[in-house]
Amino acid sequence: MVKIIVGVMGPGSNALKKDLNNAYEIGKFIASKNWVTLTGGRNEGVMNEALKGAKENNGLTLGILPSDDKITFSPYLDIPVCTNMRSGRNYLNVLSSNIIVVCGIDHGTSSEISLAIKPNKKIILIGLYEEANKYFEKLAPNLIYVVEDYLEAIEILKKELN
Amino acid sequence: MVKIIVGVMGPGSNALKKDLNNAYEIGKFIASKNWVTLTGGRNEGVMNEALKGAKENNGLTLGILPSDDKITFSPYLDIPVCTNMRSGRNYLNVLSSNIIVVCGIDHGTSSEISLAIKPNKKIILIGLYEEANKYFEKLAPNLIYVVEDYLEAIEILKKELN
Amino acid sequence: MVKIIVGVMGPGSNALKKDLNNAYEIGKFIASKNWVTLTGGRNEGVMNEALKGAKENNGLTLGILPSDDKITFSPYLDIPVCTNMRSGRNYLNVLSSNIIVVCGIDHGTSSEISLAIKPNKKIILIGLYEEANKYFEKLAPNLIYVVEDYLEAIEILKKELN
Amino acid sequence: MVKIIVGVMGPGSNALKKDLNNAYEIGKFIASKNWVTLTGGRNEGVMNEALKGAKENNGLTLGILPSDDKITFSPYLDIPVCTNMRSGRNYLNVLSSNIIVVCGIDHGTSSEISLAIKPNKKIILIGLYEEANKYFEKLAPNLIYVVEDYLEAIEILKKELN
């Protein structure tokens, strides 16, 4: 009965175009499987694009938001969970996801990858920069997948979640 | 696009039979409106019964859970949001709800009613005991509705959410 | 080695003069015993007055703050713990206190009393209004003391903490 | 009036001997300046050793604990702040510190470094491994200091906090 939840993480502001595109395609794929797309829920960057990809393809979307200020909510959000915890909600993002897909890196995303390790979540890094890949592969060799693009990430999602 | 979320709060253990019945009926009504039923998510008491009422009537169910221990999850849960915050998650329950329906009282429920006041949520108390009614009506006269049964609560939900 | 921590809770804005005076005297007493005075840490109401009473009598003061905005910090604070959790920090206030003294009531204070019950903290209500006393005595008869003034509260602190 | 708080972060279990020694020496130095030593508060690894260094040199020690289970508290703790937030408390650790000293790396520490960046905290990494240094220097070039040993870290603390 319980639905599979896939977390999509990445920069809010300053996301690269390729990260946004990966996020959109991953959201679209998640929707095609009737899974739930979970992000940080704001109307910016990777968060927003993954929700858009899911929503435009009839997926169910869930956001765990740093504040309850509606102006910051993504318009592609079905279910806003409000925390008023600012960055403290990053832990909830990963704890509530069955698996995590990372599209680009910034400090918030870095905290999410780090916090996903203790609860033993698999983490798929799409085309991150070299230093991040080396660092996280050393930090959690059994949990980290590094892939080139969203197509490879989708293959891993299929394998891990079926 | 964003869905209406109705929080149903009440005792986990030690819920009275009438509170469980009210919770079930409220969950059922929420489902009939295509709103989301939000509770604390555990497989006990009012939380579980509201989710059951919603789920058995094809509603969408959301739980904000105190831990990530799957054994404690309600079987009627579609979307488990895990916090590992124990009672700290009570604030998130009310902050994420458009309106709150209370079926019976214990200390956790009491914290949820109290925490719902600052973010200005309407709170419907169904048949609570006399001391609680008097106390909360004095604490937040503009937000509290005291009603006799689930039928009255449904009338208020219709009025407030339509 | 670990210090005894006494939590003093009550309204921020809209505290009554008698509540402020009780808070000051309780803070002063806590300092005289070399215990730590814990409050919500802001520069307002009961929080601020208890810290002032402690600080002006050479006590150690600890605040668990809803935000990291320094403008909101009490000037009588030795140790600010920042949470950025807004009302979510109310749970931490009571969980970190050995015992709780309540000077006046509002919704935040009401959540703190309620949240203190599960972790089994003793709670001293000084001169609260009738509805609150009756309500909380019914909710947690084994944990609640209702007293008239700060002198009675001090007697209970002595008994419970020595 | 408000005290300076220095956060010391690093692995709980699996800390290396040199990391423990660095933590002890940093705690000792913090105590010598009458600053507060803040850690995650448990009786293990870098957390415990920094508190020990501070406490054995008459410093004031503060722990922000993942649970309220007293068995897990460091014996060198003056002030235990209990959160029951598990890894969620990592954000509070860094938000409550004026500056952060890192002695060794694991996933928890990695989340703390990452979460310290948004609130703009300076972070001193003592002798971390190569991948971590390169990664964090790229992630936050204006906030990260990489140093060889505790003596160098002390020089930076003096410069930043005086």
Side-chain angles (χ1 to χ4, degrees):
Chain A
M1 186 88 69
V2 69
K3 293 182 190 292
I4 288 175
I5 300 176
V6 181
V8 187
M9 310 292 149
S13 50
N14 302 319
L16 300 180
K17 201 171 166 197
K18 65 171 183 168
D19 295 327
L20 296 174
N21 186 54
N22 286 329
Y24 184 90
E25 293 293 337
I26 293 292
K28 182 176 167 182
F29 172 72
I30 297 168
S32 78
K33 302 293 282 186
N34 287 316
W35 299 332
V36 177
T37 302
L38 179 157
T39 78
R42 290 196 293 111
N43 57 355
E44 263 201 313
V46 162
M47 288 178 274
N48 192 56
E49 213 61 26
L51 299 175
K52 186 179 180 190
K55 204 63 240 156
E56 291 185 351
N57 294 278
N58 303 310
L60 186 64
T61 57
L62 170 66
I64 301 187
L65 288 140
S67 97
D68 63 348
D69 181 355
K70 289 194 166 65
I71 289 177
T72 67
F73 290 12
S74 166
Y76 303 103
L77 203 46
D78 290 317
I79 303 180
V81 169
C82 298
T83 68
N84 278 359
M85 293 172 71
R86 307 259 295 267
S87 301
R89 71 81 155 81
N90 294 3
Y91 180 49
L92 280 56
N93 285 350
V94 295
L95 205 61
S96 302
S97 298
N98 293 72
I99 191 167
I100 290 133
V101 182
V102 176
C103 306
I105 192 84
D106 69 355
H107 48 78
T109 313
S110 180
S111 75
E112 289 166 321
I113 302 170
S114 304
L115 289 164
I117 295 170
K118 194 168 185 178
N120 222 31
K121 307 286 181 179
K122 296 286 172 68
I123 305 153
I124 306 171
L125 311 179
I126 309 183
L128 281 179
Y129 57 76
E130 197 189 334
E131 290 84 354
N133 293 350
K134 283 190 180 160
Y135 171 66
F136 286 115
E137 283 182 318
K138 182 144 187 184
L139 196 63
N142 300 322
L143 297 174
I144 301 284
Y145 289 98
V146 175
V147 302
E148 296 266 323
D149 57 23
Y150 75 85
L151 292 168
E152 276 188 62
I154 285 172
E155 290 311 307
I156 294 171
L157 288 174
K158 284 181 186 166
K159 193 186 72 173
E160 289 283 345
L161 296 175
N162 281 329
Chain B
M1 187 88 68
V2 69
K3 293 181 190 292
I4 288 175
I5 299 177
V6 181
V8 186
M9 309 291 150
S13 47
N14 303 318
L16 300 179
K17 200 170 165 198
K18 65 171 184 171
D19 296 326
L20 297 174
N21 185 53
N22 286 329
Y24 184 90
E25 293 293 338
I26 293 293
K28 182 176 168 180
F29 172 72
I30 298 168
S32 77
K33 303 293 282 186
N34 287 316
W35 299 332
V36 177
T37 302
L38 178 157
T39 77
R42 290 195 294 110
N43 57 355
E44 264 200 313
V46 162
M47 287 178 273
N48 192 57
E49 212 62 25
L51 298 175
K52 187 179 179 191
K55 204 63 241 158
E56 291 185 352
N57 293 278
N58 302 310
L60 187 63
T61 57
L62 170 66
I64 301 187
L65 289 139
S67 97
D68 64 347
D69 182 355
K70 289 192 165 67
I71 289 177
T72 67
F73 291 13
S74 166
Y76 304 103
L77 203 47
D78 291 318
I79 303 180
V81 169
C82 299
T83 68
N84 279 359
M85 293 172 71
R86 307 259 295 266
S87 301
R89 72 83 155 77
N90 294 3
Y91 180 48
L92 281 56
N93 284 352
V94 295
L95 205 60
S96 302
S97 298
N98 293 71
I99 191 167
I100 290 132
V101 182
V102 176
C103 307
I105 192 82
D106 69 356
H107 49 77
T109 313
S110 180
S111 75
E112 289 165 322
I113 301 170
S114 304
L115 289 164
I117 295 170
K118 193 166 186 180
N120 223 32
K121 307 287 179 176
K122 297 285 172 68
I123 304 153
I124 307 171
L125 311 179
I126 309 183
L128 280 180
Y129 59 78
E130 197 189 334
E131 290 86 352
N133 293 350
K134 284 190 178 159
Y135 172 65
F136 286 116
E137 282 182 319
K138 182 145 186 182
L139 197 63
N142 300 322
L143 297 174
I144 301 284
Y145 290 97
V146 175
V147 302
E148 297 267 323
D149 56 22
Y150 74 85
L151 291 168
E152 276 190 61
I154 284 172
E155 290 312 306
I156 294 170
L157 288 174
K158 282 181 186 165
K159 192 187 73 175
E160 288 284 345
L161 296 175
N162 281 328
Chain C
M1 188 87 69
V2 69
K3 293 180 189 294
I4 287 175
I5 300 177
V6 180
V8 187
M9 310 291 149
S13 50
N14 302 320
L16 300 179
K17 200 172 166 196
K18 65 170 183 169
D19 295 328
L20 296 174
N21 185 55
N22 286 329
Y24 184 90
E25 294 293 337
I26 293 292
K28 182 176 167 181
F29 172 72
I30 297 168
S32 77
K33 303 294 282 185
N34 288 315
W35 299 332
V36 178
T37 302
L38 178 158
T39 79
R42 290 195 295 110
N43 56 355
E44 263 201 314
V46 161
M47 287 178 275
N48 193 56
E49 212 62 26
L51 298 175
K52 186 179 179 191
K55 204 62 240 156
E56 291 185 351
N57 293 278
N58 302 308
L60 187 63
T61 58
L62 170 67
I64 301 186
L65 289 140
S67 98
D68 64 347
D69 181 355
K70 289 194 165 64
I71 289 177
T72 67
F73 290 12
S74 166
Y76 303 103
L77 203 47
D78 290 318
I79 303 179
V81 168
C82 299
T83 68
N84 279 358
M85 293 171 71
R86 308 259 295 266
S87 301
R89 69 84 155 80
N90 294 4
Y91 180 49
L92 281 56
N93 284 351
V94 295
L95 204 61
S96 302
S97 299
N98 294 71
I99 191 166
I100 291 131
V101 183
V102 176
C103 306
I105 192 82
D106 68 355
H107 48 78
T109 312
S110 180
S111 76
E112 290 166 322
I113 302 170
S114 304
L115 289 164
I117 295 170
K118 193 167 187 179
N120 223 34
K121 308 285 181 178
K122 296 286 172 67
I123 304 153
I124 306 171
L125 311 180
I126 308 182
L128 283 180
Y129 60 76
E130 196 188 333
E131 290 85 354
N133 293 350
K134 283 189 179 159
Y135 172 65
F136 286 115
E137 282 182 318
K138 182 144 188 184
L139 197 63
N142 301 321
L143 296 174
I144 302 284
Y145 290 98
V146 175
V147 302
E148 295 267 322
D149 57 22
Y150 74 85
L151 291 169
E152 276 190 60
I154 285 173
E155 291 311 306
I156 292 170
L157 288 175
K158 283 182 186 167
K159 193 188 73 174
E160 288 283 346
L161 296 176
N162 280 329
Chain D
M1 185 89 69
V2 70
K3 293 181 190 294
I4 288 174
I5 299 177
V6 180
V8 186
M9 310 291 150
S13 49
N14 303 319
L16 300 179
K17 201 172 163 195
K18 65 171 184 170
D19 295 327
L20 296 174
N21 185 54
N22 286 329
Y24 184 91
E25 293 293 338
I26 293 293
K28 182 176 167 180
F29 172 73
I30 297 167
S32 77
K33 303 294 281 187
N34 288 315
W35 298 332
V36 177
T37 302
L38 178 157
T39 77
R42 289 195 296 110
N43 56 356
E44 264 200 313
V46 161
M47 287 179 273
N48 192 57
E49 212 62 26
L51 298 175
K52 186 180 179 190
K55 204 62 240 158
E56 291 186 350
N57 294 278
N58 302 309
L60 186 64
T61 57
L62 170 66
I64 301 186
L65 288 140
S67 98
D68 64 347
D69 181 355
K70 289 193 165 65
I71 288 177
T72 67
F73 291 12
S74 166
Y76 303 103
L77 204 46
D78 289 319
I79 303 179
V81 168
C82 298
T83 68
N84 278 0
M85 293 171 72
R86 307 259 296 266
S87 301
R89 72 83 154 80
N90 294 3
Y91 180 48
L92 281 56
N93 284 351
V94 295
L95 204 61
S96 302
S97 299
N98 293 72
I99 191 167
I100 290 132
V101 182
V102 176
C103 306
I105 192 83
D106 68 356
H107 48 78
T109 313
S110 181
S111 76
E112 288 165 322
I113 301 170
S114 304
L115 289 164
I117 295 170
K118 194 167 186 179
N120 223 33
K121 307 286 179 177
K122 296 286 172 71
I123 304 153
I124 307 171
L125 310 180
I126 309 183
L128 281 180
Y129 59 77
E130 197 188 333
E131 290 84 354
N133 294 350
K134 282 190 180 159
Y135 172 65
F136 286 115
E137 282 182 318
K138 182 145 186 182
L139 196 63
N142 300 323
L143 296 174
I144 302 284
Y145 290 98
V146 175
V147 302
E148 296 267 322
D149 56 23
Y150 74 86
L151 292 168
E152 276 189 62
I154 285 172
E155 290 311 305
I156 293 169
L157 288 175
K158 284 181 186 167
K159 193 187 72 174
E160 288 284 345
L161 296 175
N162 281 329

